[in-house]
Amino acid sequence: MIDELYSARILGLAANLPHSGRLAAPDGTGERVARLCGSKAIVDVTLDDAGRIETFAQDVKACALGQAAAGVLGAVVIGTSLDEMVAARDAMSTMLKAGGEGPTGRFEGLRALKQVADYPARHASTMVAVEATLDAVRAALARKSPDTRTSLAGAA
């Protein structure tokens, strides 16, 4: 049972962490910690003029599941908008907690983690990089345009 959770595909994704590290001058930074296991992700982003992720770096200290999600995320996140990040996070949460199919489009690779749904104690660690990225984008948007703070509250 637990062997299914840590499949060769999950372990392969966990071993490949694109954009590992930190940015020297990010527009926004997000940090999330899974309280149960201590998995942690710190994400830095810069945004382009359209508010899409232009540069991205992640420092992830997590279990194989958190690392796998971060691996998928890092491979596809450049060019992502706040709305796309919210949709990906919501679809992943629904996949883990309510039997949803998971993210589509550029984030479809996160569906590889669908079997984590059967292990609620692993949900938070699987989500740390996604949540930290969303926090980083929100922070960057707020920094670039203080008027966006009100609209960002509705996307929470």
Side-chain angles (χ1 to χ4, degrees):
M1 292 181 263
I2 198 81
D3 291 340
E4 293 173 15
L5 190 58
Y6 295 100
S7 67
R9 178 150 189 235
I10 296 297
L11 296 176
L13 290 169
N16 179 27
L17 195 63
H19 304 285
S20 186
R22 301 291 306 272
L23 296 180
D27 293 335
T29 298
E31 181 176 338
R32 287 293 177 115
V33 177
R35 288 184 225 162
L36 186 63
C37 67
S39 290
K40 180 178 181 179
I42 302 172
V43 172
D44 296 323
V45 299
T46 62
L47 304 180
D48 63 19
D49 292 338
R52 296 182 178 278
I53 296 173
E54 186 170 49
T55 57
F56 171 88
Q58 58 184 343
D59 182 13
V60 180
K61 307 286 191 263
C63 67
L65 300 171
Q67 291 279 136
V72 171
L73 184 72
V76 300
V77 75
I78 302 296
T80 300
S81 69
L82 174 66
D83 290 343
E84 289 174 296
M85 278 308 309
V86 169
R89 187 272 318 268
D90 291 351
M92 189 158 175
S93 181
T94 300
M95 176 182 79
L96 294 176
K97 297 176 190 232
E101 289 303 310
T104 58
R106 74 172 72 218
F107 295 104
E108 190 169 328
L110 291 169
R111 290 180 175 197
L113 296 155
K114 190 170 184 166
Q115 69 272 21
V116 178
D118 295 335
Y119 303 90
R122 303 280 198 257
H123 291 182
S125 63
T126 304
M127 295 291 292
V128 292
V130 174
E131 294 285 6
T133 301
L134 186 52
D135 291 346
V137 171
R138 285 185 174 134
L141 287 169
R143 181 174 178 212
K144 285 184 170 257
S145 174
D147 295 338
T148 61
R149 290 182 189 159
T150 304
S151 64
L152 294 178

